[in-house]
Every structure is written in C-alpha cells, then in structure tokens.
Amino acid sequence: MTMKPSDRSYSVNRTDEEWREHLSADEFAVLRRAGTERPFTGEYTDSKTVGVYACRACGAELFASETKFDSHCGWPSFFSPLAGDSVEFLEDRSLPGRPRVEVRCATCGSHLGHVFEGEGYDTPTDQRYCINSISLTLRPADG
C-alpha cells in the first residue's frame, strides 16, 4: 500500500455545501467527515448479492462482490479493491496509540473505512478492507 497525501486533487471535486446537497446527513458524516456507522447496522454487512460496490458519493467502482467475505467484524469486508488505483490509503492516527490505514475513494476522496493486514485473515491477500455500508452502493450483476 502506498500512502498518498490528503490534499491531492480529485477528478470529482465539490464544496462541502455541494456534498451536503448531494448526500444525506449520515452519508456526509461518514463519507466527508470520516465517521463510522455502528457495527452490524449497514445494509451490505450480510449481503451475498453478486455485483460491484461503487462509491456512494461519486459512483466510482471500488470492490467486486467476489472479494467480499464474512469477517464477523460488523462491516462489509473485502480482501482487495476492484482495481489497484480505485482506492487510496492515508495514515490515520485519530485513535491514540492505534495507528490505522484509512481507505478513501481515489476519484472523490470520500472516506470508505480502513484496511487491516497481517491479522491472519484467510484471504488471498491477508487483508481486510473494513468498509462502511453507507459509503457504498451495490450494483447487482443481474441488472
């Protein structure tokens, strides 16, 4: 994972006011203010629907359902993004004494969740992308 600066320019840029018009208050709190939805409350936590998960803010495709797995953490978990450049990684030191790696949409910079690695996940990448359901929109493969 390559960490990128948080002040980069994105292909989808909006002001906070424009984001507030485009997103619900809860979506804005997570996507634009790096909030977190409560565990086991998101609409995609237990979803088995085949399709592609896109950024709820800008529509960029982020994760394939084939990489989703049940990690029992309370949020949708994926072992890999759809494409290597679809997400970006930022150092997150918001929890004292517990540095994490934040995952953002590379198209609009919206907060998606965090990625954890080396914790013994039985996945091809040994990674868990712990993503907020409210940050995603599922596009089912069947239409």
Side-chain angles (χ1 to χ4, degrees):
M1 285 180 282
T2 303
M3 301 288 184
K4 297 181 182 178
S6 61
D7 61 349
R8 69 176 279 229
S9 179
Y10 297 99
S11 59
V12 173
N13 284 304
R14 293 184 171 147
T15 65
D16 276 353
E17 183 177 305
E18 290 169 327
W19 282 120
R20 286 181 199 279
E21 290 173 10
H22 180 71
L23 302 168
S24 72
D26 289 340
E27 291 167 347
F28 184 86
V30 173
L31 288 157
R32 304 310 303 170
R33 292 295 177 255
T36 302
E37 65 190 353
R38 289 188 347 257
F40 302 102
T41 62
E43 66 183 303
Y44 302 126
T45 303
D46 298 318
S47 176
K48 304 287 188 228
T49 303
V50 175
V52 173
Y53 291 86
C55 176
R56 188 164 296 191
C58 73
E61 294 186 343
L62 302 171
F63 298 95
S65 61
E66 290 81 12
T67 65
K68 188 174 185 291
F69 69 103
D70 190 358
S71 68
H72 308 284
C73 70
W75 294 273
S77 296
F78 303 86
F79 61 79
S80 175
L82 190 61
D85 60 352
S86 63
V87 297
E88 67 176 1
F89 308 98
L90 299 167
E91 183 177 21
D92 178 355
R93 295 193 171 272
S94 62
L95 294 178
R98 188 169 176 207
R100 300 178 294 173
V101 178
E102 178 185 4
V103 180
R104 288 192 187 180
C105 173
T107 302
C108 69
S110 289
H111 173 77
L112 304 171
H114 293 86
V115 61
F116 304 93
E117 54 186 344
E119 297 182 7
Y121 304 110
D122 188 20
T123 68
T125 61
D126 198 29
Q127 294 179 322
R128 175 174 55 97
Y129 286 77
C130 184
I131 306 298
N132 292 286
S133 285
I134 201 167
S135 297
L136 303 171
T137 298
L138 174 58
R139 296 179 182 155
D142 61 7

